[in-house]
Amino acid sequence: MRNKFIETRKTGRRTRTSHAQVVDELGKAIVAGTYPVGSILPGDTELAQRFKVSRTVLRETMKTLAAKGMVVAKARVGTRVTEKNLWNMFDSEIIAWHFDSGVTEEFLLQLYDIRLAVEPFAAGLVAERANAEEIETLRGLAEEMAASGHTADSLALADLHFHLALAEASHNPFMRTLGSLIEAALVGMFRISTPPSENGFANIADTHMRIVDAIAAGDSAAARRAMEVVILDGRDHVHEAFATRGDPAAMEPLSPAISPK
């Protein structure tokens, strides 16, 4: 099962290719507004000197960013940063770059909008399609959330494992591709909230077990409702966390150990 956001960055960046490193640096700079929408990126000569890479690497970098919808190259003009509505917001790197830059409450709530639109339906599919082994896996993952001594990171990881396992059990590959959105929403909620013992996460195992019970009963409607409750509860925690901070603008960039990438 995938687990990108807790562990990957502990080792990932040291082993990246030159191409991946330049994509990462330019992508983050675009998301952060260093190169705002409509601006022209520096030319090949300047970028080649800055990153100590060849023009071939730069061409591949621009192809990658263009495939994400973030830039467009025009003859005799240069490479321009596109409007944000053209960016592929389902792309895990684009999501991660937002976290690197410090995400806003609006960004996190938009992630919850997508979860609310998709995951309840996925839970309903699981109630119709899951086999006994998959149901027991989900039950075990829900029970893991009740383990004592959880930190915010470990509880986020347990929660993530549950939701990714549910997506797998839907037997719909499109549901599985939404994993990066689920990861980002969860890591955002746990990252900005207070420790689990202090902030109302004590019932998280119970709310997730209700999803499992509905699935085990083959009750699609109940599974959808139970999942809605879980997602709405997470969205409420985001609201509360930003209200408590007294700063509606942006959350600090995530530390490498908990960044969703």
Side-chain angles (χ1 to χ4, degrees):
M1 184 180 296
R2 293 185 307 159
N3 168 20
K4 294 187 292 185
F5 80 101
I6 291 289
E7 296 172 352
T8 300
R9 293 224 178 155
K10 295 178 182 178
T11 58
R13 286 189 175 172
R14 296 193 195 116
T15 58
R16 285 187 175 183
T17 64
S18 296
H19 165 259
Q21 289 172 351
V22 179
V23 168
D24 188 59
E25 291 300 321
L26 286 178
K28 284 192 299 185
I30 290 170
V31 170
T34 303
Y35 302 118
V37 168
S39 66
I40 303 299
L41 294 181
D44 285 356
T45 301
E46 179 179 341
L47 291 177
Q49 291 176 345
R50 180 186 307 177
F51 294 112
K52 304 296 188 292
V53 296
S54 67
R55 290 177 182 269
T56 299
V57 169
L58 288 177
R59 283 196 296 271
E60 292 304 313
T61 294
M62 295 309 166
K63 287 180 182 178
T64 299
L65 293 174
K68 296 176 185 294
M70 301 180 76
V71 301
V72 60
K74 292 193 174 184
R76 296 185 297 278
V77 174
T79 301
R80 180 176 57 82
V81 178
T82 59
E83 298 289 336
K84 289 187 176 182
N85 62 356
L86 298 177
W87 298 3
N88 178 12
M89 295 304 296
F90 288 87
D91 185 284
S92 60
E93 285 191 303
I94 292 180
I95 294 172
W97 293 331
H98 279 82
F99 276 80
D100 284 338
S101 301
V103 295
T104 62
E105 179 181 13
E106 180 185 25
F107 181 82
L108 285 177
L109 294 181
Q110 287 168 344
L111 288 174
Y112 274 89
D113 287 343
I114 297 299
R115 290 190 67 196
L116 196 58
V118 174
E119 286 192 80
F121 186 75
L125 290 181
V126 176
E128 298 171 2
R129 301 174 179 178
N131 58 42
E133 181 179 355
E134 289 167 331
I135 292 172
E136 285 311 302
T137 295
L138 289 169
R139 191 176 300 279
L141 292 171
E143 290 171 350
E144 172 61 24
M145 296 181 204
S148 61
H150 270 305
T151 63
D153 285 10
S154 66
L155 187 56
L157 183 57
D159 199 356
L160 170 61
H161 282 170
F162 178 91
H163 288 275
L164 294 183
L166 187 139
E168 291 284 343
S170 72
H171 296 278
N172 184 321
F174 293 99
M175 295 295 181
R176 294 196 291 268
T177 63
L178 296 177
S180 60
L181 298 180
I182 298 171
E183 292 174 58
L186 289 174
V187 73
M189 177 184 70
F190 284 101
R191 174 64 174 81
I192 64 177
S193 298
T194 52
S197 60
E198 302 173 15
N199 67 358
F201 285 135
N203 69 337
I204 191 170
D206 293 338
T207 57
H208 284 72
M209 192 61 75
R210 291 188 194 110
I211 299 173
V212 179
D213 289 341
I215 288 170
D219 190 337
S220 296
R224 288 195 296 269
R225 290 194 298 270
M227 179 62 81
E228 286 177 358
V229 168
V230 165
I231 296 172
L232 290 171
D233 186 52
R235 191 173 69 177
D236 288 344
H237 277 293
V238 171
H239 272 306
E240 292 166 6
F242 274 91
T244 300
R245 284 161 45 92
D247 177 7
M251 173 176 95
E252 291 298 316
L254 298 186
S255 65
I258 193 172
S259 188
K261 189 170 183 180

